[in-house]
């Protein structure tokens, strides 16, 4: 009955910014670790960013580090602020919730229990 819902995607141009939102419904608020992944056409799902149960501990994929920022509004809401977007960022972006215990699993898709349906980000030249 837990639902993960992403929003905020759209069509932008190179150099633009977007903020993605993720809201978890159906569970009591708690300090679960959460993450963003993305998947382009014909590609495997790629790790983007994660926030550990400690809000001060964050992780980023090499391709987005320095451009994207992950943050929490509360225990059930997650954001991804994306800046200086390029066509290589064009993907469906997925929010993931409740990984296995420990920070060593935060980059692995198999560690997460709940996934949203994704929100499309398209960056034109």
């Amino acid at each position: 009955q837990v639902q993960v819902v992403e929003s905020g995607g759209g069509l932008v141009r190179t150099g633009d910014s977007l903020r993605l939102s993720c809201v978890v419904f159906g569970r009591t608020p708690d300090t679960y670790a959460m993450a963003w992944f993305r998947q382009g056409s014909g590609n495997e799902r790629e790790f983007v960013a994660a926030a550990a149960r400690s809000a001060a501990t964050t992780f980023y994929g090499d391709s987005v580090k320095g451009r994207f920022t992950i943050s929490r509004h509360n225990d059930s809401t997650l954001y991804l602020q994306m800046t200086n977007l390029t066509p290589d960022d064009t993907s469906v972006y997925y929010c993931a919730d409740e990984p296995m215990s420990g920070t060593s699993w935060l980059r692995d898709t198999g560690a997460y229990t709940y996934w949203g349906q994704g929100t499309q980000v398209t960056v034109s030249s």
Side-chain angles (χ1 to χ4, degrees), residues 23-104:
V23 182
V24 179
F25 300 93
R27 64 162 171 83
T28 57
D30 204 346
T31 54
Y32 298 107
M34 300 177 69
W36 290 97
F37 293 80
R38 66 186 184 185
Q39 186 170 12
S41 297
N43 297 322
E44 296 182 348
R45 193 162 295 186
E46 175 191 13
F47 172 76
V48 176
R53 296 183 68 180
S54 173
T57 303
T58 58
F59 301 85
Y60 294 93
D62 291 340
S63 63
V64 306
K65 191 173 185 179
R67 298 188 298 120
F68 291 9
T69 302
I70 189 170
S71 62
R72 294 181 185 270
H73 175 70
N74 53 44
D75 289 338
S76 299
T77 305
L78 185 73
Y79 298 110
L80 183 69
Q81 180 66 49
M82 306 184 294
T83 63
N84 196 24
L85 289 163
T86 75
D88 288 340
D89 297 314
T90 295
S91 292
V92 177
Y93 284 73
Y94 298 91
C95 181
D97 187 38
E98 299 187 30
M100 297 173 61
S101 298
T103 59
S104 62

